[in-house]
Amino acid sequence: MSCHDEASRFVFLLSWFSNPGGRHWLCAEDFYPLVQDVVDTHPGLTFLKEASEFHSRYVHTVVARIFYCVNRSWSGRITAKELRKSQLLVTLRRLQEEEDINRITDFFSYEHFYVIYCKFWELDTDHDLLIDRRDLARHNDHEFFSFFNQHFVIIFSLDIVVICLKSSEYFYEEQLQRMEAIGIETLPFEDCLCQMLDMIHPRTPGKISLSDLKRNT
């Protein structure tokens, strides 16, 4: 009576298992049985049946990818509205038709999972399945940055939600020396800042939030 399209029915049914009666949003835990069923039944993942220790890691990686792409609000709750704007339901239908899991590059590719997992394992030097600041600090000579147009950089960490543009100049100056040392063409910070603002269009002038970055991925 209340679910009038595929997206709303999907949310209601998937949430039913953890919340009898259903609700209007999905959390990560709601997806675990679904992805585990893919592991158990998809012909492209039959080789995983003998490697049960990888099941949970594949499941958690797929769910993380789903939330990264679908949950555009970063609320930790996927709504029917967000589902309608995503490719998730289309991808789930493809799972029933495509036997090669690696051809389903959205969310479920085992090859993609393996690359992500290997990088995680490389960073997680104590192999406790947690990446902390010390793990990150050992990676790539402390360079936590992404180049935009190969000219400028935004510094961020897992617990920073808003980047102050004035304070980012401090980080840019440090990276400027690194870029010059390896022969990358550099620009004045003001020029980089203009390019960054033109691309991201932050809602709050002078600050770039996580949602601003997410909106522009």
Side-chain angles (χ1 to χ4, degrees):
M1 294 294 291
S2 60
C3 301
H4 303 293
D5 66 356
E6 184 182 27
S8 58
R9 287 192 292 271
F10 181 84
V11 170
F12 182 84
L13 290 173
L14 208 63
S15 65
W16 184 283
F17 294 100
S18 58
N19 186 74
R23 44 177 148 72
H24 301 294
W25 48 268
L26 297 170
C27 62
E29 288 75 12
D30 294 326
F31 284 89
Y32 294 154
L34 172 67
V35 183
Q36 182 62 51
D37 184 65
V38 174
V39 173
D40 295 337
T41 62
H42 196 279
L45 292 173
T46 52
F47 64 93
L48 266 185
K49 290 184 178 180
E50 303 302 323
S52 57
E53 67 275 11
F54 278 97
H55 287 195
S56 65
R57 296 171 190 181
Y58 175 83
V59 169
H60 282 79
T61 301
V62 170
V63 174
R65 294 184 69 189
I66 289 172
F67 270 78
Y68 182 82
C69 295
V70 178
N71 186 211
R72 308 301 293 182
S73 65
W74 284 67
S75 64
R77 296 179 174 184
I78 290 178
T79 62
K81 182 179 180 181
E82 289 177 319
L83 273 178
R84 295 183 190 107
K85 294 180 179 180
S86 76
Q87 292 296 308
L88 178 58
L89 296 180
V90 173
T91 302
L92 289 173
R93 284 195 294 272
R94 282 196 63 201
L95 283 171
Q96 302 177 53
E97 304 164 357
E98 177 58 65
E99 293 190 358
D100 186 352
I101 196 75
N102 293 315
R103 296 188 65 179
I104 306 178
T105 54
D106 289 337
F107 318 122
F108 292 93
S109 166
Y110 184 83
E111 289 179 348
H112 287 191
F113 154 73
Y114 190 73
V115 171
I116 294 169
Y117 179 74
C118 287
K119 176 56 66 176
F120 184 94
W121 195 252
E122 176 187 339
L123 292 174
D124 182 25
T125 52
D126 56 5
H127 302 319
D128 63 351
L129 298 182
L130 296 171
I131 294 178
D132 58 24
R133 292 184 179 184
R134 288 173 295 180
D135 292 326
L136 285 175
R138 286 190 293 266
H139 178 64
N140 205 21
D141 193 25
H142 300 261
E143 297 175 7
F144 312 129
F145 58 87
S146 299
F147 284 101
F148 288 80
N149 290 343
Q150 297 183 347
H151 289 304
F152 63 90
V153 63
I154 292 178
I155 308 297
F156 67 96
S157 69
L158 296 178
D159 59 353
I160 292 178
V161 178
V162 175
I163 299 172
C164 174
L165 299 183
K166 183 63 178 176
S167 63
S168 65
E169 183 174 7
Y170 167 79
F171 294 104
Y172 182 76
E173 290 297 328
E174 180 180 348
Q175 300 304 326
L176 194 62
Q177 300 175 20
R178 298 175 184 270
M179 290 187 284
E180 290 173 344
I182 59 178
I184 296 178
E185 182 182 357
T186 62
L187 290 175
F189 177 74
E190 292 76 14
D191 293 344
C192 295
L193 184 59
C194 288
Q195 292 185 32
M196 183 164 58
L197 293 175
D198 287 344
M199 286 197 306
I200 298 176
H201 301 294
R203 290 192 176 96
T204 303
K207 294 182 178 180
I208 296 177
S209 69
L210 193 59
S211 60
D212 292 327
L213 290 175
K214 183 68 173 177
R215 195 176 65 251
N216 285 274
T217 54

